[in-house]
Amino acid sequence: MGEVLLEVKDLKKYFDTPAGKLHAVDGLTFKLEKGKTLGVVGESGCGKSTTGRAILRLHEPTSGEVLFEGEDITKYSPAKMKEMRKEMQMIFQDPFASLNPRKTVSELIAEPLRLHKVYKNKKDQEARVLELMELVGLSERLVNTYPHELDGGRRQRIGIARALAMNPKFIVCDEPVSALDVSIQAQILNLLKDLQDELGLTYMFITHDLSVVNCFSDEIIVMYLGQVVEHASAEDLFANPMHPYTKALLSAIPVPSLNEKKERILLKGEITSPINPKPGCRFAPRCEYAKDRCFEESPAFTEQSAGHFCACHYCNDIK
């Protein structure tokens, strides 16, 4: 195993609601090597984005540890965490909502440089902004334009340039292409991959698009209602999915052929409430293989084969 940049241990994030505690993230544990990409997939509401925000402390974790280069950043003071922001950044899902409509392209990209007082004079700052614009494929002529004057792809490039401004080591990509057209998605994904190769970046790539995460990630974790149900290399997960939920997700990937038929796994039943969840497997009410044990005892997250982890009582019995 290579050098570990990020290690998350038993991360939890609960929200208070009138009905009780909402378990948005419930006991997440993983390691991420430097220069690699960890894909995070699952249905809407499973806790993917909350996980990314909790790691960056945009949401304060309820409990657990987030070790960045061996140091637990959950114990950092606000001042020390501000310095850590230089190392950890985020690319947001909606490129329009994440940009201030009153600021120009140059002002948006220069914002982190200004907040961290990187440059003493405006000329050096402007030179860095133009350098970042070139790096992400934005024309210099757009320097004084506003977000509403640009298409989604260019807006997302602004978000990427802003994330890169402080030369971070780790970036959380929160569904960075889901709001874009298919052709633009490919451009942004290729850009992110090129930047990773060029700058040695480490990504946590959050998405609900399994076809995207397969070609972009080194490892993948599958989340369901705040918990990880499966974790493996991208190649192993697609070749040998173990958890019934993972199998259902993979069966939903569209096949680009009229002649090829693919068996779909249709999930039935009610989704378990994430508020004060009861013991047992949270996927059990929708699982065709569920037995009495599944409703009474939470499955352990164990290594079933080399580097392939699964949380299911009967994953070895499911074909």
Side-chain angles (χ1 to χ4, degrees), residues 100-116:
N100 188 333
R102 291 189 173 93
K103 291 183 181 288
T104 64
V105 171
S106 61
E107 289 171 333
L108 289 164
I109 296 174
E111 202 164 9
L113 302 173
R114 180 180 58 78
L115 287 171
H116 289 282

Side-chain angles (χ1 to χ4, degrees), residues 110-175:
E111 202 164 9
L113 302 173
R114 180 180 58 78
L115 287 171
H116 289 282
K117 300 177 181 177
V118 176
Y119 298 103
K120 293 181 179 179
N121 63 72
K122 198 171 182 180
K123 187 177 179 181
D124 290 342
Q125 181 176 291
E126 288 173 350
R128 174 60 174 160
V129 168
L130 292 176
E131 180 187 333
L132 287 164
M133 288 179 67
E134 183 180 357
L135 188 64
V136 300
L138 281 170
S139 173
E140 188 177 332
R141 65 182 172 81
L142 302 174
V143 72
N144 291 318
T145 56
Y146 290 86
H148 73 271
E149 299 177 280
L150 303 173
D151 60 25
R154 288 191 176 93
R155 289 175 195 153
Q156 196 58 291
R157 289 174 191 268
I158 296 170
I160 295 170
R162 186 173 59 179
L164 293 173
M166 301 306 300
N167 295 314
K169 296 176 182 176
F170 172 64
I171 298 179
V172 174
C173 305
D174 186 10
E175 302 199 34

Side-chain angles (χ1 to χ4, degrees), residues 48-278:
K48 305 187 300 295
S49 295
T50 304
T51 297
R53 290 169 182 266
I55 288 170
L56 298 182
R57 284 185 63 188
L58 298 178
H59 291 321
E60 285 296 333
T62 302
S63 65
E65 298 179 15
V66 179
L67 303 177
F68 187 83
E69 295 186 321
E71 292 195 25
D72 186 4
I73 66 170
T74 61
K75 294 180 171 62
Y76 280 10
S77 65
K80 195 171 183 181
M81 197 61 215
K82 184 180 177 182
E83 285 299 305
M84 179 53 65
R85 301 269 180 236
K86 297 177 183 178
E87 307 287 344
M88 311 169 78
Q89 285 292 318
M90 189 167 191
I91 300 169
F92 295 93
Q93 179 176 358
D94 189 337
F96 191 61
S98 63
L99 302 176
N100 188 333
R102 291 189 173 93
K103 291 183 181 288
T104 64
V105 171
S106 61
E107 289 171 333
L108 289 164
I109 296 174
E111 202 164 9
L113 302 173
R114 180 180 58 78
L115 287 171
H116 289 282
K117 300 177 181 177
V118 176
Y119 298 103
K120 293 181 179 179
N121 63 72
K122 198 171 182 180
K123 187 177 179 181
D124 290 342
Q125 181 176 291
E126 288 173 350
R128 174 60 174 160
V129 168
L130 292 176
E131 180 187 333
L132 287 164
M133 288 179 67
E134 183 180 357
L135 188 64
V136 300
L138 281 170
S139 173
E140 188 177 332
R141 65 182 172 81
L142 302 174
V143 72
N144 291 318
T145 56
Y146 290 86
H148 73 271
E149 299 177 280
L150 303 173
D151 60 25
R154 288 191 176 93
R155 289 175 195 153
Q156 196 58 291
R157 289 174 191 268
I158 296 170
I160 295 170
R162 186 173 59 179
L164 293 173
M166 301 306 300
N167 295 314
K169 296 176 182 176
F170 172 64
I171 298 179
V172 174
C173 305
D174 186 10
E175 302 199 34
V177 297
S178 65
L180 307 177
D181 293 338
V182 174
S183 58
I184 305 299
Q185 285 185 16
Q187 293 177 19
I188 297 299
L189 288 171
N190 287 333
L191 171 63
L192 289 171
K193 198 66 181 172
D194 291 342
L195 290 170
Q196 184 176 39
D197 295 339
E198 185 177 341
L199 304 175
L201 297 169
T202 304
Y203 291 142
M204 180 177 175
F205 191 82
I206 298 167
T207 183
H208 58 261
D209 191 334
L210 282 154
S211 55
V212 167
V213 81
N214 182 30
C215 64
F216 196 79
S217 303
D218 298 292
E219 293 189 9
I220 299 172
I221 61 176
V222 181
M223 290 189 68
Y224 187 80
L225 288 181
Q227 296 181 324
V228 176
V229 296
E230 192 160 358
H231 180 187
S233 68
E235 183 181 358
D236 196 17
L237 188 87
F238 275 74
N240 182 33
M242 291 186 175
H243 198 279
Y245 179 61
T246 307
K247 292 175 185 285
L249 288 180
L250 294 181
S251 78
I253 299 175
V255 178
S257 172
L258 294 174
N259 299 321
E260 185 178 344
K261 291 185 178 180
K262 187 175 184 180
E263 184 182 351
R264 306 289 183 187
I265 299 173
L266 300 178
L267 297 179
K268 301 176 182 178
E270 292 294 322
I271 298 175
T272 304
S273 172
I275 299 174
N276 298 333
K278 298 176 182 177

Side-chain angles (χ1 to χ4, degrees), residues 4 23 25 31 35 54 60 99 150 183 198 248 258 289 309 315:
V4 174
H23 293 218
V25 180
K31 294 180 181 180
E60 285 296 333
L99 302 176
L150 303 173
S183 58
E198 185 177 341
L258 294 174
Y289 306 102
F309 298 81
C315 61

